[in-house]
Amino acid sequence: EAAADAAMTLTLDPPFTRARASYGARERFRAHFRALIYPVVAELEMWTATERLQSAQLLELLLIFTEAHATEFAHQILPALAKGSDPDNPFELRTKVARAAVMFAQFVPPRSYLPLALSMLAHDALNPLSQRVQYYALLPALLQGMRPAARAWAVPQLVAALLEEADGCTRHAPLFLTPTPTLAVTLALTL
């Protein structure tokens, strides 16, 4: 427990007074996480704003309590976070989704979700432009939440993928206007 507390690189907002939630609370949430994650992800992908805001807040809290146990559901959580990161969404929703993405990246190792994210970023007939924009918008929050060792592994993977896609990004206005300057600054700071 002490080693896990020391490994945290984020400070939790109130009402949390320690580096992590208490052990008993984490175990209680983990026992029910499987039943909760499916409706939360479904609501986060809905079109109605109120449910999406509440789901983003709930997802952030669930990730605080479940920590690395959310790894099993990374393939479901990541697409929902990407959809919530869409630049066309209201600012408040994007902010709450970014907070959840930071918590997701803090606890879930990037080896379990980065290959999926990179495949969704690829210029491919199966990846529509809108989806690629969503994943590009999600990357800064993921990088912000990663622990230093995880970031050291992930940045070379991302740089290779982004350099491959640089030409495609300049041709498509939505990709050109996504927060890639923020992403570039984040990548530069991590190197």
Side-chain angles (χ1 to χ4, degrees):
E1 286 294 307
D5 286 349
M8 285 285 293
T9 58
L10 299 174
T11 55
L12 301 178
D13 294 336
F16 299 100
T17 56
R18 300 182 324 188
R20 298 166 61 211
S22 69
Y23 179 75
R26 289 194 321 264
E27 287 302 313
R28 176 69 67 140
F29 272 84
R30 287 176 189 156
H32 299 287
F33 185 69
R34 182 177 298 278
L36 293 171
I37 193 61
Y38 297 111
V40 168
V41 167
E43 284 183 359
L44 194 54
E45 293 178 339
M46 292 177 78
W47 61 273
T48 52
T50 306
E51 286 84 1
R52 293 179 83 187
L53 284 170
Q54 293 168 346
S55 292
Q57 285 179 304
L58 182 56
L59 181 59
E60 180 187 5
L61 286 173
L62 286 173
L63 291 168
I64 289 171
F65 284 103
T66 57
E67 296 182 345
H69 294 279
T71 302
E72 178 183 352
F73 302 95
H75 67 284
Q76 294 170 315
I77 297 171
L78 191 69
L81 290 172
K83 193 167 185 175
S85 298
D86 193 327
D88 291 338
N89 287 334
F91 177 76
E92 187 179 8
L93 176 63
R94 290 192 322 259
T95 303
K96 290 183 188 285
V97 168
R99 289 176 52 100
V102 166
M103 283 301 153
F104 176 78
Q106 176 72 173
F107 297 116
V108 177
R111 292 178 193 267
S112 62
Y113 65 84
L114 200 58
L116 173 63
L118 292 176
S119 71
M120 297 299 185
L121 287 170
H123 186 71
D124 188 293
L126 297 175
N127 297 334
L129 181 60
S130 61
Q131 174 183 290
R132 292 175 59 221
V133 168
Q134 293 167 356
Y135 276 88
Y136 273 109
L138 177 63
L139 285 178
L142 292 176
L143 282 169
Q144 180 186 351
M146 287 180 194
R147 295 178 184 187
R151 192 178 301 126
W153 178 85
V155 166
Q157 316 290 323
L158 287 170
V159 167
L162 292 175
L163 288 176
E164 231 175 70
E165 290 296 315
D167 183 47
C169 290
T170 58
R171 290 186 199 161
H172 299 294
L175 288 178
F176 186 70
L177 297 175
T178 55
T180 49
T182 306
L183 181 60
V185 168
T186 305
L187 283 172
L189 291 174
T190 58
L191 294 176

